[in-house]
Amino acid sequence: MRVRLPLLRTSWAWRLGVPAAAAAARLPRGASAGPGPRRAMAFYRTEERGQPHSPGYRLFFKNVAGHYISPFHDIPLKADSEENLFNMVVEVPRWTNAKMEIATEEPLNPIKQDVKDGKLRYVANIFPHKGYIWNYGALPQTWEDPHRKDKSTDCCGDNDPIDVCEIGSKVLSRGDVVHVKILGILALIDQGETDWKLIAINVNDPEASKFHDIEDVKKYKPGYLEATLNWFRFYKIPEGKPENQFAFNGEFKNKAFALEVIKSTHECWKALLMEKCAGGAINCTNVQVCDSPFHCSQEEARSLVESVSFSLNKGSNEEDQVWHFLGK
């Protein structure tokens, strides 16, 4: 159920991406869904402040108890330790254009729309695609350290949580937290920085049982990896920028390789939260990592959210839709 108020909107979202109305019908608030990796053991609430398509828009997260949390630091990385299921925070639903992202430099790290040179950012439509061609988001409790050179790419990290391209058949919603199976990874090199792109599938997707590694994507979704590579190669060209480059000549690495990258970025995040490395402008305020020096109380978290100002003006409509054809 999504309650819409003029400037404050809330919704409940199951970790597995089940529509909120269906979720409410199945279980009372706070109840366990029972054992098994495919069942949600908790759910999160998202709370919108400000108007979409405006610089002041923020999407905050709450846990099952209704307490504000950070989607970057407080949502666990792994959903199931034995089956290698991971939590994914959805920032951008498939086929949309607004460049939404976890605000890593703000307290409790709400989702916001990226702004550059005073303008809201949208990805271009490049033929034959419309917006993002997957559900796009990030793994919580990971961090690509900008001061640590990756041995396999010889470039430092991009200072963000590791990105995820979810390739399932459903269009997810911004703020969903879903369990995903990791299938592989692509190493984008963005302005000299390593920007890993995980390939994953929602464990509740109707076809999820077919997918175990990157070769299954080639088998059951032919052309999708090639389209993904081209999307990342060309998506900045309409802005007047050059093609993006890739490590490994654009080769997608397999699940085993991807899991090692996740492990490494999780270790970097732990060092960040324990103040064992320089985090720069990254905001590490959290509610649930009790031994972190950046831990805060529920009351402090609520005060942080309530102190956030947001515009009373209506947001602009989404940018004009233009289709770009890239010639040689």
Side-chain angles (χ1 to χ4, degrees):
M1 179 181 68
R2 181 177 289 271
V3 180
R4 290 201 171 270
L5 300 175
L7 289 167
L8 185 65
R9 292 169 294 277
T10 62
S11 68
W12 288 102
W14 288 97
R15 282 185 180 179
L16 297 187
V18 177
R26 293 184 186 182
L27 287 175
R29 177 173 173 175
S32 169
R38 294 173 184 268
R39 297 286 188 91
M41 297 302 292
F43 54 103
Y44 298 99
R45 182 183 183 184
T46 56
E47 180 178 288
E48 293 180 295
R49 288 179 171 251
Q51 296 288 349
H53 307 297
S54 73
Y57 173 84
R58 297 293 184 274
L59 184 69
F60 286 94
F61 286 71
K62 290 182 176 180
N63 62 15
V64 66
H67 301 137
Y68 288 106
I69 61 169
S70 162
F72 186 3
H73 305 305
D74 290 321
I75 295 176
L77 168 62
K78 301 196 80 172
D80 187 290
S81 59
E82 293 183 1
E83 298 215 9
N84 281 319
L85 299 182
F86 294 83
N87 284 314
M88 170 190 176
V89 178
V90 178
E91 298 165 310
V92 186
R94 181 189 286 118
W95 299 327
T96 63
N97 297 74
K99 192 176 187 301
M100 310 300 296
E101 60 186 17
I102 292 172
T104 58
E105 298 182 4
E106 296 183 12
L108 297 182
N109 317 111
I111 290 177
K112 69 171 185 177
Q113 187 166 356
D114 191 23
V115 175
K116 187 172 184 179
D117 298 327
K119 295 182 179 180
L120 295 169
R121 293 189 67 189
Y122 297 88
V123 299
N125 299 314
I126 300 178
F127 180 83
H129 306 302
K130 165 68 175 74
Y132 288 76
I133 64 173
W134 346 257
N135 297 296
Y136 192 69
L139 293 189
Q141 297 188 345
T142 62
W143 181 53
E144 297 186 58
D145 189 344
H147 305 294
R148 182 175 179 273
K149 185 172 288 189
D150 189 284
K151 294 180 180 179
S152 58
T153 66
D154 202 35
C155 294
C156 294
D158 72 344
N159 204 31
D160 283 323
I162 194 167
D163 296 321
V164 186
C165 302
E166 193 281 318
I167 65 169
S169 57
K170 298 178 180 179
V171 177
L172 303 176
S173 298
R174 182 186 310 143
D176 280 352
V177 181
V178 297
H179 294 174
V180 295
K181 297 166 64 174
I182 302 300
L183 305 174
I185 195 166
L186 176 69
L188 172 66
I189 305 299
D190 188 355
Q191 297 180 329
E193 297 176 335
T194 304
D195 187 3
W196 292 106
K197 307 296 181 185
L198 289 164
I199 306 301
I201 189 166
N202 184 348
V203 72
N204 266 14
D205 189 85
E207 295 185 320
S209 62
K210 296 180 180 179
F211 292 84
H212 305 285
D213 214 317
I214 199 68
E215 292 300 320
D216 296 318
V217 184
K218 299 174 184 177
K219 180 179 179 179
Y220 294 111
K221 291 184 181 284
Y224 207 169
L225 294 181
E226 292 82 356
T228 295
L229 185 67
N230 285 331
W231 195 97
F232 282 117
R233 189 188 303 278
F234 299 131
Y235 82 99
K236 290 185 179 180
I237 287 182
E239 302 175 9
K241 296 181 179 179
E243 294 182 7
N244 278 323
Q245 303 300 312
F246 304 90
F248 316 116
N249 294 316
E251 175 191 356
F252 286 83
K253 294 296 186 178
N254 65 14
K255 174 182 177 178
F257 189 102
L259 292 177
E260 287 301 313
V261 173
I262 294 171
K263 181 180 178 181
S264 175
T265 58
H266 182 55
E267 292 301 317
C268 289
W269 171 82
K270 287 196 288 186
L272 175 72
L273 262 283
M274 296 302 146
E275 211 171 13
K276 294 182 179 179
C277 63
I282 296 290
N283 193 298
C284 297
T285 303
N286 67 86
V287 180
Q288 297 182 336
V289 187
C290 297
D291 51 349
S292 167
F294 304 103
H295 178 265
C296 74
S297 68
Q298 297 165 6
E299 293 74 19
E300 289 170 328
R302 186 184 309 110
S303 296
L304 286 170
V305 175
E306 292 174 350
S307 69
V308 174
S309 61
F310 49 88
S311 173
L312 297 176
N313 297 327
K314 290 188 66 177
S316 63
N317 292 326
E318 193 167 349
E319 91 291 4
D320 292 335
Q321 295 292 320
V322 177
W323 221 356
H324 296 269
F325 289 78
L326 302 183
K328 294 293 183 181

